[in-house]
Amino acid sequence: MPSKKILEGKQAVVAELAEKFRNAQSGVVVNYQGITVADDTEMRKKMREAGVEYVVMKNTLTGRACDEVGYGEIKEYLTGMNAVAIGLNDAVAPAKILKEYAEKIESFEIRVGFLEGKVISADVVKELAEIPSKETLLSRFLGSVQSPISGFARALQAIIDKEGSGETPAAEEPAPAAE
């Protein structure tokens, strides 16, 4: 039987991980076996830049945290060497980064994930990774909103330029007098 101090430490770790799961937009569980130190360092750097937290923890502690937040289904995937990537600000970022490494490293495997309070399969995680990033979607949206406005502005500028050069726009030309 573990000492009271060790047990309290483990309970604190589980509570902290469960809180991260609750606050996360998404998360992905991977089997990180076979990744080199160089690839792992590069992957962790990308995750930090994307605001993703990457946690390697004992499967039993991860399982308890999953139970605490209602992700009990994830426990069946917690065998072997697992890590969890937690997306706090961007739901797509963990899936996108981990899919890149799963395609590059044969033994690196996406196992399961969660999104907005629901457990999702590895296939859904991979589909999620195909969605463009939040920044890309926002820029596309702003481009589509801005396009009609900028077209209108160019048309107005053309009218102003014509008037400034002394020409009268076609719409304002006087009609020939009828005889």
Side-chain angles (χ1 to χ4, degrees), residues 60-156:
T60 54
L61 299 179
T62 304
R64 287 189 177 137
C66 288
D67 279 339
E68 203 170 301
V69 293
Y71 298 152
E73 301 167 51
I74 291 177
K75 286 172 47 177
E76 69 183 81
Y77 298 95
L78 298 177
T79 58
M81 299 169 55
N82 295 303
V84 182
I86 305 166
L88 301 171
N89 302 320
D90 187 353
V92 176
K96 192 172 278 306
I97 295 167
L98 292 173
K99 183 176 184 253
E100 174 188 337
Y101 285 89
E103 290 173 347
K104 199 161 74 169
I105 303 164
E106 189 175 318
S107 60
F108 191 90
E109 173 193 13
I110 294 175
R111 294 231 166 136
V112 68
F114 60 88
L115 176 67
E116 297 177 353
K118 295 187 174 139
V119 176
I120 57 175
S121 70
D123 291 334
V124 175
V125 171
K126 291 171 187 170
E127 287 176 21
L128 185 63
E130 297 300 319
I131 296 174
S133 70
K134 187 177 184 179
E135 291 78 20
T136 303
L137 290 173
L138 283 172
S139 65
R140 286 181 185 173
F141 172 72
L142 290 175
S144 66
V145 168
Q146 185 180 4
S147 180
I149 295 170
S150 61
F152 178 68
R154 281 193 295 275
L156 285 177

Side-chain angles (χ1 to χ4, degrees), residues 37 50 105 107 157 166 168:
V37 172
I105 303 164
S107 60
Q157 188 62 46
T168 55

Side-chain angles (χ1 to χ4, degrees), residues 34-47 54 97 100-101 104-105 108:
I35 191 167
T36 65
V37 172
D39 284 338
D40 186 60
T41 303
E42 180 186 339
M43 179 184 68
R44 287 175 184 263
K45 181 181 179 217
K46 286 182 179 180
M47 290 209 190
Y54 186 70
I97 295 167
E100 174 188 337
Y101 285 89
K104 199 161 74 169
I105 303 164
F108 191 90

